[in-house]
Amino acid sequence: MKARVTVMPKTGVLDPQGKAIGHALASLGFAGVGEVRAGKVIELDLAETDPARAKAEAEEMARRLLANTVIESFRVELV
């Protein structure tokens, strides 16, 4: 079973990478772009076959390692 973990900075947390991307897009002529937030996507290939357990396992991985839950939020989806 495959799981996708999306990790993003929490609202209110400074995102210098997002700011840099936003400035670069503006300098390339993309004036209609508002705030940009940059995160990461991690895809996991899990041995678990039960969807509920696979999602719970991926959420535990995100809480313990993949996301810094003080400054980042995460979302897990099975794909």
Side-chain angles (χ1 to χ4, degrees):
M1 183 150 287
K2 290 191 183 282
R4 181 176 297 135
V5 181
T6 304
V7 181
M8 295 294 293
K10 287 183 176 179
T11 303
V13 172
L14 184 64
D15 182 6
Q17 185 178 15
K19 289 277 189 211
I21 293 168
H23 288 298
L25 289 171
S27 71
L28 291 172
F30 296 102
V33 178
E35 183 181 9
V36 177
R37 306 288 284 168
K40 57 189 171 190
V41 175
I42 300 132
E43 292 192 353
L44 305 166
D45 191 4
L46 305 172
E48 182 60 61
T49 57
D50 178 76
R53 284 199 282 219
K55 186 170 184 177
E57 187 176 355
E59 287 173 346
E60 183 65 16
M61 290 176 191
R63 260 189 293 286
R64 293 180 62 188
L65 177 69
L66 303 176
N68 177 348
T69 56
V70 174
I71 61 169
E72 295 174 318
S73 60
F74 66 88
R75 181 181 70 242
V76 173
E77 59 185 317
L78 300 179
V79 293

